[in-house]
């Protein structure tokens, strides 16, 4: 059983696509049970802003539909995978509450993502975010969780909660394993030591999945490199060109050695032009499919409804077992 989720926040970029979505598509093999979720409840932790006045971004519905269309256009097949929206399955929030009652608060105090993201007005939701993520995974008894390296600590915390549930209530819940992406981390186009991010204020630092061919060419053209004319990989001394080489490797499905050999005698201008073409061709295919999907929104919503029904079938059964064992009247 494989489970993973993605937030409908910000603009999905090629780091998300290569590091997560492509991996999910590859896992859709005969014999694998895959559950993929748009985690819209998680996305609410980022919606509150307090500046001169208190505001709450209410675009989650449109962002969810856009992301769902992107994922299907990228190869997520609702016939092969259980594909749904988190808030359509209330068992997630119910299990989150149960988990909040079986372990001390200091388990959450050690989470580095909260320390990195917290602001003066941070919500309780941001603090308890790891609990909801643990509930997401436990609810489906997921054996493998393919997520980014930055989420590895959350998987370790989930294992702690599974062990607590199993020891306290004589359950036999599967301890999830972190499944590392086959694609190396994709970095910012302007800083080879900084991760490409949806929340980056500078759009030119990333390539969004919805960028046009012209935007892709312009961003790659302006991406930072160095004064060395030769093209070769050296993460420590040449992080920016090394990042572009990784992106080329991922989109071309060539080995790093093959990419370097191909551009051994070519210029950086040649390399950037070819890289832009490579990215644009793949993303343009996704964009065309996405447009067709969004043109029939009612069909898309029906796909998500059917996915949530399949998810609830699994979730309700597993939650019922947990509730019975902790002593609730079921």
């Amino acid at each position: 059983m494989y489970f993973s989720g993605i937030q409908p926040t910000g603009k999905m970029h090629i780091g998300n696509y290569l590091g997560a979505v492509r991996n999910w598509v590859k896992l859709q093999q005969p014999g694998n049970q895959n559950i993929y979720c748009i985690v819209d409840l998680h996305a609410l932790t980022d919606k509150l802003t307090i500046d001169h006045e208190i505001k709450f971004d209410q675009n989650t519905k449109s962002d969810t539909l856009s992301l769902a269309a992107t994922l299907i256009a990228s190869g997520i097949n609702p016939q092969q995978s259980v594909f749904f929206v988190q808030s359509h399955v209330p068992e997630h929030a119910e299990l989150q509450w149960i988990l909040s009652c079986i372990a001390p608060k200091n388990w959450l105090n050690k989470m580095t993502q909260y320390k990195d993201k917290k602001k003066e007005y941070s919500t309780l939701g941001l603090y308890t975010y790891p609990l909801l993520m643990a509930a997401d995974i436990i609810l489906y008894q997921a054996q493998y969780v393919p997520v980014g390296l930055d989420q590895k600590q959350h998987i370790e915390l989930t294992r702690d909660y599974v062990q607590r549930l199993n020891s306290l209530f004589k359950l036999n819940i599967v301890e999830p394993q972190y499944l590392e992406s086959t694609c190396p981390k994709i970095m910012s186009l302007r800083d080879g030591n900084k991760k490409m991010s949806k929340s980056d204020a500078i759009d030119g630092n990333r390539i969004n999945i919805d960028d046009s061919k012209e935007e892709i060419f312009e961003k790659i053209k302006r991406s930072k490199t160095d004064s060395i004319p030769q093209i070769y990989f050296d993460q420590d001394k040449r992080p920016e060109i090394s990042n572009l080489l990784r992106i080329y490797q991922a989109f071309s499905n060539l080995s790093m050695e093959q990419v370097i050999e191909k551009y051994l005698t070519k210029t950086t201008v040649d390399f950037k032009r070819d890289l832009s073409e490579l990215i644009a061709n793949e993303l343009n295919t996704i964009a065309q499919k996405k447009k067709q999907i969004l043109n029939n929104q009612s069909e898309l919503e029906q796909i998500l409804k059917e996915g949530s029904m399949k998810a609830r079938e699994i979730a309700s059964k597993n939650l019922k077992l947990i509730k019975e064992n902790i002593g609730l009247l079921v």
Side-chain angles (χ1 to χ4, degrees):
M1 165 81 79
Y2 297 86
F3 175 90
S4 197
I6 185 169
Q7 286 194 43
T9 55
K11 293 183 176 181
M12 181 174 158
H13 54 70
I14 60 169
N16 308 129
Y17 172 65
L18 295 171
V21 179
R22 255 192 173 189
N23 197 29
W24 297 358
V25 173
K26 288 177 183 177
L27 289 171
Q28 294 181 136
Q29 300 294 327
N32 286 353
Q33 186 175 9
N34 305 298
I35 300 178
Y36 299 133
C37 178
I38 296 177
V39 288
D40 57 338
L41 293 176
H42 285 294
L44 296 181
T45 62
D46 239 3
K47 298 294 185 179
L48 182 72
T49 55
I50 300 177
D51 193 2
H52 300 298
E53 56 181 321
I54 300 174
K55 294 181 180 178
F56 193 87
D57 181 356
Q58 294 173 285
N59 293 321
T60 306
K61 178 181 177 179
S62 59
D63 290 344
T64 297
L65 290 169
S66 176
L67 178 57
T70 297
L71 294 176
I72 294 172
S74 300
I76 297 300
N77 186 342
Q79 302 305 315
Q80 292 179 292
S81 302
V82 177
F83 178 54
F84 70 103
V85 177
Q86 183 186 37
S87 64
H88 294 179
V89 182
E91 285 83 358
H92 287 252
E94 191 173 349
L95 181 54
Q96 181 194 21
W97 177 256
I98 291 171
L99 295 182
S100 73
C101 298
I102 66 166
K105 190 176 74 169
N106 65 7
W107 281 19
L108 296 180
N109 292 341
K110 65 184 180 182
M111 302 305 290
T112 55
Q113 267 206 332
Y114 175 73
K115 294 173 185 175
D116 293 341
K117 287 186 173 183
K118 72 176 180 180
K119 305 169 187 174
E120 185 180 347
Y121 55 84
S122 291
T123 63
L124 180 61
L126 182 63
Y127 180 68
T128 60
Y129 176 110
L131 273 175
L132 182 55
M133 184 169 173
D136 296 337
I137 297 165
I138 293 170
L139 205 51
Y140 300 97
Q141 298 245 22
Q143 187 176 359
Y144 300 106
V145 186
V147 289
L149 186 61
D150 60 335
Q151 298 294 315
K152 188 175 181 181
Q153 190 187 29
H154 289 95
I155 309 305
E156 293 167 353
L157 179 70
T158 301
R159 289 171 62 86
D160 290 338
Y161 277 99
V162 169
Q163 291 165 9
R164 176 60 61 91
L165 282 167
N166 287 343
S167 63
L168 276 178
F169 308 113
K170 310 304 179 198
L171 289 161
N172 191 30
I173 298 170
V174 175
E175 291 189 26
Q177 306 293 319
Y178 165 71
L179 189 64
E180 188 174 0
S181 171
T182 53
C183 176
K185 187 186 293 184
I186 303 300
M187 313 307 282
S188 165
L189 296 179
R190 307 284 178 86
D191 184 347
N193 293 307
K194 180 183 174 185
K195 182 183 172 185
M196 188 175 285
S197 172
K198 289 193 286 187
S199 59
D200 195 322
I202 302 173
D203 189 62
N205 288 349
R206 63 179 171 265
I207 294 177
N208 304 305
I209 203 81
D210 293 329
D211 281 349
S212 67
K213 182 175 182 177
E214 292 73 24
E215 287 172 322
I216 292 168
F217 269 77
E218 186 65 21
K219 287 180 180 181
I220 293 294
K221 181 182 177 181
R222 292 178 174 274
S223 64
K224 183 179 177 182
T225 49
D226 52 47
S227 58
I228 301 172
Q230 293 82 17
I231 297 171
Y232 61 87
F233 187 91
D234 188 331
Q235 179 57 42
D236 294 331
K237 295 180 180 179
R238 307 187 69 194
E240 283 77 28
I241 192 69
S242 296
N243 182 47
L244 295 181
L245 282 165
R246 276 196 300 269
I247 295 172
Y248 191 104
Q249 178 192 5
F251 275 98
S252 67
N253 294 314
L254 297 174
S255 68
M256 184 59 74
E257 291 75 18
Q258 288 173 314
V259 177
I260 292 170
E261 184 179 353
K262 183 176 180 179
Y263 289 95
L264 203 58
T265 58
K266 295 188 179 182
T267 67
T268 303
V269 173
D270 294 330
F271 172 67
K272 283 189 171 185
R273 183 188 61 243
D274 291 354
L275 174 59
S276 301
E277 193 70 46
L278 191 64
I279 297 169
N281 286 343
E282 186 159 336
L283 296 193
N284 183 57
T285 301
I286 293 171
Q288 289 176 0
K289 291 178 181 176
K290 178 179 179 178
K291 185 178 180 181
Q292 292 173 351
I293 294 166
L294 287 175
N295 281 340
N296 194 342
Q297 185 175 317
S298 60
E299 184 177 329
L300 177 59
E301 291 183 8
Q302 182 61 30
I303 288 170
L304 295 173
K305 181 180 178 181
E306 290 172 3
S308 69
M309 290 170 66
K310 293 176 186 175
R312 287 204 75 180
E313 203 174 312
I314 303 167
S316 59
K317 179 181 174 182
N318 288 333
L319 182 61
K320 182 174 183 287
L321 181 65
I322 292 171
K323 290 167 72 173
E324 284 174 344
N325 279 268
I326 68 173
L328 292 174
L329 179 63
V330 178

